[in-house]
């Protein structure tokens, strides 16, 4: 019989589940950030399946895209309000 390899989607879900458990293990004040990271990791992971063979790469790519988008929005808000 041949081996069954988990799909990237299954790997992403597995990684996100582990990260969620890790988030719950953080100090109470840090748990919200761990939970946010789990959500960020899942946001674009479907699109990342196309190019990423490694589930961890898909999760990290997804989280980084969302972090950069948030950074751009914050910078745009700062410029809009005249902050340097």
């Amino acid at each position: 019989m041949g081996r069954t390899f988990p799909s990237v989607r299954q790997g992403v879900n597995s990684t996100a589940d582990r990260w969620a458990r890790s988030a719950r293990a953080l100090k109470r004040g840090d748990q919200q950030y761990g939970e946010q990271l789990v959500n960020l990791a899942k946001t674009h992971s479907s699109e990342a399946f196309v190019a990423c063979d490694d589930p961890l790469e898909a999760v990290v790519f997804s989280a980084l895209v969302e972090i950069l988008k948030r950074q751009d929005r914050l910078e745009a808000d700062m410029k809009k309000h005249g902050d340097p």
Side-chain angles (χ1 to χ4, degrees):
M1 291 197 174
R3 290 187 179 178
T4 303
F5 293 100
S7 70
V8 174
R9 181 180 304 278
Q10 291 170 322
V12 167
N13 289 334
S14 178
T15 300
D17 289 344
R18 286 192 310 274
W19 285 14
R21 287 192 304 274
S22 296
R24 289 189 295 273
L26 293 171
K27 294 177 191 173
R28 186 169 305 277
D30 292 339
Q31 288 178 358
Q32 65 179 340
Y33 301 110
E35 292 167 6
Q36 286 179 33
L37 188 55
V38 171
N39 292 330
L40 293 176
K42 292 179 179 180
T43 303
H44 295 285
S45 58
S46 292
E47 294 93 334
F49 295 148
V50 175
C52 300
D53 295 331
D54 180 1
L56 182 58
E57 182 181 11
V59 168
V60 172
F61 180 83
S62 175
L64 290 173
V65 166
E66 282 302 303
I67 289 168
L68 290 172
K69 285 171 52 177
R70 288 180 179 194
Q71 180 181 349
D72 281 350
R73 284 192 298 266
L74 287 171
E75 289 175 359
D77 285 346
M78 288 174 57
K79 287 180 184 177
K80 182 176 163 182
H81 296 306
D83 294 339

